Amino acid sequence: MAENTAIADTICRTIDLGVTITGAALDGQDRTHLYCELRAPDDRCPGCGAAGRLRDHVHREIADLPIVGHPTRLHLQVPRYRCESTACDQSIFRADIDDIVAPRTQVTRRTTAWMLRRMIVDKMSVTAVAAAVGLGWDTVNTIALSAARNLAAAPERLDRVRILGVDEHKWKHVRGQGDPSFVTVLVDLTPVVDGTGPARLLDMVAGRSKAALKNWLDARDQAFRDRIRVVTMDGFSGYRTATAESLDHARAVMDPFHVVHLAAEKLTRCRQRVQTDTCGHRGRSGDPLYGIRRTLLTRTRLLTDKQKTRLKTGLDAHDEHVAVAITYAI
Ligand SMILES: [Zn+2]
């Protein structure tokens, strides 16, 4: 039995939550119910720190990540203790499950993060996310908005941000016929540039306008604004103006994907022009520049030694290739 529990905890990742599955059931509403208890409940009294005596358990039903496409409910038995210290004001207390579920919510923290990612990164609609976790539209919308606000309320997330990404996102209000509302999504790209990790979602604000970004930037402290070196955006001019007005020393740049795409296009055009000038015809096999057309677009650190040699030979083959060499270097 213990072995089966370990397998279930591994598959359902309840092991990550610090709970262990004691039972499971399906209901007629497409949901999977997992009955769980805490693996190592904290029995220390929040008043005095002494270990309490187990009194009873409180049942909590919490929505968790969907399992194989079906909404999941955790039924957690939370131990309740009595503090036996006479000097302590605290009489009864529950084991702390704050790491699993935020106070006054009915959804595990990891589910909240999952829902936000689905909406922001995967552009999934609130309706689709609500169906996946088996919650109402309003509940999911409220949780997502409040999670986004909580991001802003954790000021340490803003430390060390040097590269700020600004992107517009359509918050898909599928319900009703109201206008789709846009939000401005703020992302920390510093870890990506430093090669230390993925981008981090920093905040979301209503609207897609110069004011949306400017108000956000102006609400941050001076130290934060001073640290920002680069703001990447998709080219929306309102964001560029806001950056210029609120961060006079930061550079507004187009996001790397657009930049790489444009730069590659310029390099290819330069190569084609020089090729026609020097060979008198469009590139064909055997032409030195045509032979390196793909190598030119490959990142330097991904090139093999053989490719590097071929690249150098191709660029050195004719004096007029210097234009391609310079464009490539840029
Ligand atoms: Zn106590």
Side-chain angles (χ1 to χ4, degrees), residues 26-202:
L26 306 178
D27 66 16
Q29 297 168 286
D30 191 37
R31 289 180 193 158
T32 307
H33 296 265
L34 299 178
Y35 298 86
C36 309
E37 51 192 43
L38 294 167
R39 297 173 79 89
D42 186 357
D43 64 356
R44 284 170 304 166
C45 168
C48 64
R53 174 193 287 272
L54 184 64
R55 182 178 181 270
D56 55 7
H57 288 84
V58 185
H59 172 253
R60 284 286 305 273
E61 182 174 338
I62 313 161
D64 197 28
L65 299 176
I67 298 173
V68 293
H70 300 280
T72 305
R73 293 291 178 271
L74 293 184
H75 296 263
L76 190 57
Q77 291 295 111
V78 185
R80 207 149 53 153
Y81 304 95
R82 182 187 295 284
C83 179
E84 296 188 307
S85 164
T86 47
C88 183
D89 291 337
Q90 189 92 38
S91 56
I92 294 170
F93 61 94
R94 291 179 190 194
D96 184 6
I97 54 167
D98 202 55
D99 287 348
I100 303 171
V101 52
R104 290 178 303 280
T105 63
Q106 306 301 322
V107 177
T108 55
R109 287 182 185 274
R110 65 183 187 179
T111 306
T112 302
W114 181 89
M115 294 194 294
L116 209 52
R117 272 200 309 275
R118 291 291 86 79
M119 282 184 235
I120 301 300
V121 181
D122 303 333
K123 321 274 189 209
M124 211 163 151
S125 70
V126 175
T127 307
V129 172
V133 292
L135 292 169
W137 191 98
D138 285 319
T139 307
V140 168
N141 198 47
T142 306
I143 291 170
L145 289 175
S146 115
R149 273 197 297 274
N150 286 340
L151 288 176
E156 70 277 4
R157 287 185 72 83
L158 300 177
D159 291 351
R160 296 186 298 278
V161 177
R162 287 179 290 108
I163 323 280
L164 180 69
V166 184
D167 196 8
E168 61 185 45
H169 171 76
K170 192 171 158 193
W171 192 275
K172 289 190 176 170
H173 287 229
V174 172
R175 186 205 224 193
Q177 61 285 329
D179 290 339
S181 56
F182 282 89
V183 290
T184 296
V185 179
L186 298 130
V187 177
D188 178 17
L189 295 173
T190 316
V192 179
V193 173
D194 290 349
T196 54
R200 298 184 312 141
L201 182 60
L202 292 177

Side-chain angles (χ1 to χ4, degrees), residues 226-252:
D226 287 347
R227 254 192 319 268
I228 303 294
R229 290 278 157 267
V230 175
V231 182
T232 78
M233 54 195 72
D234 55 5
F236 175 55
S237 70
Y239 291 155
R240 204 165 55 229
T241 315
T243 303
E245 287 180 12
S246 298
L247 306 171
D248 48 9
H249 61 280
R251 294 181 60 180

Side-chain angles (χ1 to χ4, degrees), residues 270-283 289:
C270 175
R271 175 183 58 76
Q272 289 168 337
R273 180 174 55 78
V274 172
Q275 197 162 254
T276 309
D277 289 353
T278 53
C279 300
H281 55 75
R282 284 168 56 105
L289 287 181

